[in-house]
Amino acid sequence: MSWLKWHNTSEEFARAAHQSLLRGHWVRARQLFAIAASHEKRALEFLDQDKPRTFGITAVSATALNYKAALLDPAEALSLKALEDERLPGFAREQLEDLLGSINELRTKRNAEGDAIMEPGLYEQLAAQRGDSTDLISCVYDVVSKLKTIETDENRPGMLLGNIQSGKTRGFIGTIAAAFDEGFDIAIILTKGTKALSEQTVMRLRDDFKAFRDQDLLDVHDIMSMPELNQWEIERKLVIVAKKQKYNLDRVLKLFMETRPELAGKRVLIVDDEADLASIRFTVSRHDKEIEQGKIAEQIDELRKEITSCAYLQVTATPYSLYLQPEDYESLPGSNFVFLPKRPAFTELLPIHPNYVGGDQYFGDHEEDQPEHYLWKEVPTDELDALRKADRRVIRSDSYLEGSKIETLRYAIVAFVVGVVVRNQQLRATGKLSKKFSLIVHIETKKSAQSWQKEVFDGILDALQEAIRRNDPVVDRLLRSVYDDLTRSVEAAGLSMPLYDPIAKASKEAFVKKYLTVEKVNSDNDVKKLLDESAELKLRTPYNVFIGGQILDRGITVPNLIGFYYGRSPKRMQQDTVLQHSRMYGARPREDLAVTRFYTSIHNHECLKKIHEFDSALREAFESGAHERGVAFIQTDAKHRIRPCAPSKIMMTDQTTIRPGRSLVPVGFQSGPKSRIAPIVAEIRKLIPSAALGTSKPQKVELKKAIQIVELIETTLEFKPQDEYGFDWNGLKAAIEYFSNIAAPESERGGVWILAEEDRMLRIRSSRQCL
């Protein structure tokens, strides 16, 4: 980074700090000033020697920011060092000398009053070290503030909601550091039940927290290799990582209940990573038909109950099953279970990286002058079916080069290689280093299918190699077709496309010399072997292909992905599962996007587009406050191709389906006494437009007025406590707000149509009660 970039980010944090001061958030302001000071100090390090005025301004700024953060020693050290520098202008010298006086006055005052000089917290240091954005820092502090002020104990979880591959791990690691600053002693991280993801999390934590571990401020442990802790160790901050797997959780429970029961009395933050996976599942007992939890969910509940002071944070990008849970699970008479609540008490949205590539890019509406327009290439269903099960009569070895059954897969292979060559030539032309890229093939979960896919993939590579050696014109036709296709998207991105001949030459060389690395990834051990030191899938050459199934979803990071051949196509897609397959999402340079391609069937593309729309609506509702009444709206499609999650996750859920033509109306009520409700009815009539009263013509009113009318109507109706009838008024108001603010076209938002009929008797069929 340059002086300008460090200085600009410092100014961003300083502005955020001043905003926090205006809101009365003194602690957060000090933390933000500390990060701003750290960035301004880095700006000093990048400053050219021949700019004395800028040097003086930056030195004063860095000193002042440290002073505002109450970091007196760093402020003093910076000022003294700058005062010794001959370049320092006179105006800066005077200002620094004044600041030194202020520093000494504050230090004397604090020492006299017995106040300890506050040092930067763990998260302040971590945020400066990682270069966290102001949005992320604000998000982390908001989460910790809510963990402290909203009861997220064993009864009410909180939610950190991110996008697929959007930096959720970075977010919750920052939250742990900030929670330690606020008095938490232990963090337990529950990860997806694979060794690869568990080890990836441990490595990431140890790397991020290295400075604190070196100072013996905290330590990070994998529960399966955790030593027996002595008293000195348990007095440090502890981070414990456990897979959501029976034996891992048994060890966690044993640690808190038997080995070191005093840990249960400490302040503990449980971070449930991928919280909708394994942490929530219900089954019906075969013996007594009673509803039971899955084993993992039961163990997590037991852990939550065991800890005296517990905050519980769910982290996921696919929260549908969690929002579909009831506030509390009803315990039936004579039952032997009490399920702890799984529904979030609050939701904090993780900020999206400015370079994030997600559903908007892959499934939004884009014109031909935008590179996103070219991302999707259709795969015929027959081709995907042929790759699901080995049949050498359908895909013959003599058809690898020109056979129609695998035409798109062959195209995807060539497009991947050409894309890599194009990007690396572009990088070198701008003086940058070449990169290594990846392609994923994800069609089927069965290992036999993946072996067949690898056989076909290798067969295509061998056929291309032989064809290049004998100068078969089919290769140049393939290369030219791919080159022309990529040229359209590269130029749409405003980039320069290298000439064809050097691209074709380098691509042929990659095939002939077998530069491509093709790995079959279908087990935990496979992934473990392929992880690099940063716990991402290791890219060995510029051309890396991974053929796999479910093991490649949830949490596994595939760097520099520019090709995704996707064929999973169940009759009914589960939104949470399918979204987790979307490994093509993530922070990626726009230059890479220009050579990226996504291969799937029309059916899959339509379903994925719908899923993106549903997911966007859910997030938009949170951003707009439409969920503030505690009612979550999860969309599904009318054709029943998509459901939000597995039925076993929402067996205990009280949910209402809102379909076109369906009404949400109260039944089984009596009107209140006339003497009581008459003035209320009169008030309701005043709120209803006269043009709507008894005219059978709906009129549009403001949302606020519509809610006011509903709330008044609610006070006029009476339900008998013992009746089976009841009505969710909060749900009705939430639905009105949702359809007015979210579902309506943007130009029509904020209004509600009202139909006010008079002198009518409405009856619900099979009911004696009148509406």
Side-chain angles (χ1 to χ4, degrees), residues 20-56:
S20 293
L21 282 177
L22 291 173
R23 298 188 188 109
H25 299 158
W26 302 97
V27 174
R28 182 185 298 182
R30 183 180 66 82
Q31 293 164 335
L32 290 168
F33 277 130
I35 296 167
S38 172
H39 283 229
E40 196 75 330
K41 183 183 176 186
R42 294 301 305 274
L44 265 178
E45 296 168 4
F46 280 82
L47 187 63
D48 293 338
Q49 294 287 320
D50 59 349
K51 295 184 177 180
R53 180 175 174 78
T54 307
F55 168 70

Side-chain angles (χ1 to χ4, degrees), residues 167-290:
K168 294 185 296 298
T169 304
R170 186 187 189 94
F172 77 66
I173 289 176
T175 300
I176 288 170
F180 283 161
D181 291 334
E182 295 297 327
F184 283 84
D185 304 300
I186 301 171
I188 301 171
I189 302 174
L190 306 177
T191 72
K192 177 186 173 184
T194 66
K195 285 184 179 178
L197 186 54
S198 178
E199 291 183 4
Q200 181 179 6
T201 303
V202 171
M203 291 168 69
R204 177 77 174 271
L205 284 159
R206 286 177 174 164
D207 183 56
D208 278 10
F209 288 158
K210 184 179 184 303
F212 311 138
R213 291 170 57 233
D214 290 345
Q215 298 172 58
D216 285 327
L217 298 175
L218 61 79
D219 209 349
V220 179
H221 298 282
D222 183 331
I223 190 63
M224 299 304 284
S225 57
M226 188 173 184
E228 186 172 334
L229 302 177
N230 61 33
Q231 187 61 34
W232 188 88
E233 289 172 308
I234 67 172
E235 289 176 2
R236 311 275 82 73
K237 304 286 187 183
L238 293 175
V239 182
I240 300 169
V241 179
K243 290 189 298 180
K244 284 186 270 191
Q245 181 262 353
K246 180 184 181 302
Y247 299 115
N248 274 250
L249 292 175
D250 280 344
R251 288 206 180 189
V252 176
L253 287 166
K254 185 178 180 181
L255 175 67
F256 281 82
M257 296 171 68
E258 299 177 21
T259 311
R260 282 292 187 177
E262 64 267 39
L263 293 178
K266 288 178 173 284
R267 199 169 182 192
V268 179
L269 170 62
I270 298 176
V271 177
D272 191 349
D273 191 18
E274 306 295 356
D276 59 308
L277 184 71
S279 304
I280 179 169
R281 181 172 174 268
F282 299 100
T283 59
V284 178
S285 170
R286 293 181 181 178
H287 305 294
D288 52 18
K289 303 303 179 183
E290 192 173 274

Side-chain angles (χ1 to χ4, degrees), residues 355-421:
N355 291 330
Y356 184 76
V357 174
D360 287 341
Q361 285 72 33
Y362 279 91
F363 305 110
D365 295 323
H366 302 287
E367 302 298 328
E368 290 185 10
D369 60 353
Q370 297 174 293
E372 293 88 346
H373 177 81
Y374 303 92
L375 282 171
W376 173 50
K377 294 197 75 70
E378 181 189 347
V379 183
T381 303
D382 289 348
E383 177 169 321
L384 293 174
D385 290 342
L387 290 165
R388 295 186 203 283
K389 188 176 181 180
D391 190 337
R392 292 169 184 82
R393 296 168 300 176
V394 176
I395 301 179
R396 303 193 312 272
S397 59
D398 60 0
S399 68
Y400 285 148
L401 192 61
E402 296 186 83
S404 61
K405 286 293 183 183
I406 50 172
E407 183 177 356
T408 312
L409 179 62
R410 181 171 53 244
Y411 185 94
I413 294 170
V414 176
F416 171 61
V417 171
V418 173
V420 173
V421 173

Side-chain angles (χ1 to χ4, degrees), residues 377 411 414-415 418 422 464 472-488 491 497-505 507-508 511 597:
K377 294 197 75 70
Y411 185 94
V414 176
V418 173
V422 168
L464 284 167
D472 193 321
V474 71
V475 177
D476 277 306
R477 287 199 300 271
L478 257 175
L479 288 170
R480 174 58 74 175
S481 173
V482 166
Y483 178 85
D484 291 344
D485 176 39
L486 293 182
T487 297
R488 287 189 285 272
E491 292 181 349
M497 187 68 175
L499 296 174
Y500 172 76
D501 287 341
I503 294 294
K505 181 180 178 182
S507 300
K508 290 177 182 179
F511 286 118
R597 293 296 182 267

Side-chain angles (χ1 to χ4, degrees), residues 138-165:
S138 181
C139 171
V140 165
Y141 285 136
D142 282 344
V143 170
V144 175
S145 175
K146 289 174 181 176
L147 287 172
K148 290 174 62 185
T149 57
I150 298 176
E151 289 220 9
T152 58
D153 56 12
E154 70 278 6
N155 291 320
R156 303 201 69 196
M159 165 69 72
L160 178 60
L161 178 59
N163 288 65
I164 301 295
Q165 298 202 126

Side-chain angles (χ1 to χ4, degrees), residues 543-766:
Y543 316 88
N544 300 270
V545 181
F546 301 101
I547 301 173
Q550 272 179 284
I551 196 69
L552 289 176
D553 71 7
R554 287 197 189 256
I556 298 299
T557 302
V558 186
N560 302 334
L561 186 72
I562 61 169
F564 189 25
Y565 188 97
Y566 181 68
R568 293 281 295 279
S569 188
K571 290 182 180 177
R572 195 170 186 190
M573 288 186 169
Q574 289 180 185
Q575 187 169 341
D576 52 359
T577 301
V578 173
L579 259 181
Q580 291 290 353
H581 292 165
S582 302
R583 296 295 98 190
M584 67 279 196
Y585 289 2
R588 307 194 191 285
R590 189 165 177 79
E591 295 84 354
D592 288 0
L593 187 70
V595 297
T596 297
R597 293 296 182 267
F598 174 52
Y599 308 89
T600 196
S601 65
I602 290 179
H603 170 79
N604 280 0
H605 191 267
E606 287 180 353
C607 288
L608 287 165
K609 185 172 183 176
K610 275 289 184 188
I611 287 172
H612 164 63
E613 290 170 359
F614 299 162
D615 192 60
S616 297
L618 176 70
R619 292 166 198 279
E620 187 180 347
F622 277 112
E623 290 171 347
S624 68
H627 289 329
E628 287 177 0
R629 293 188 183 273
V631 178
F633 291 87
I634 311 294
Q635 294 189 25
T636 185
D637 68 328
K639 296 180 181 178
H640 305 292
R641 297 170 299 176
I642 303 164
R643 59 188 178 200
C645 57
S648 64
K649 294 181 178 181
I650 52 175
M651 192 178 292
M652 298 286 288
T653 297
D654 180 17
Q655 54 183 308
T656 297
T657 304
I658 302 175
R659 297 188 179 94
R662 178 174 177 174
S663 301
L664 290 180
V665 294
V667 297
F669 61 82
Q670 294 285 356
S671 299
K674 186 175 181 179
S675 59
R676 182 179 69 81
I677 70 171
I680 302 174
V681 172
E683 191 175 348
I684 293 171
R685 291 182 68 88
K686 289 179 183 177
L687 292 171
I688 297 173
S690 57
L693 278 169
T695 63
S696 299
K697 295 179 179 179
Q699 298 293 317
K700 198 171 187 178
V701 299
E702 291 182 358
L703 172 61
K704 184 179 179 180
K705 184 178 286 189
I707 295 298
Q708 191 178 354
I709 292 171
V710 170
E711 289 174 341
L712 286 169
I713 292 173
E714 181 182 357
T715 65
T716 68
L717 307 183
E718 296 178 352
F719 296 85
K720 293 180 180 179
Q722 68 272 22
D723 281 355
E724 64 182 28
Y725 299 107
F727 188 66
D728 183 4
W729 292 96
N730 204 39
L732 173 62
K733 287 181 280 188
I736 292 171
E737 290 172 338
Y738 179 81
F739 283 102
S740 176
N741 282 332
I742 302 298
E746 193 167 347
S747 60
E748 298 178 21
R749 290 178 182 176
V752 177
W753 290 94
I754 184 168
L755 180 67
E757 299 288 54
E758 294 184 290
D759 302 320
R760 297 182 64 201
M761 292 291 287
L762 303 179
R763 292 186 181 275
I764 297 296
R765 189 176 298 172
S766 302

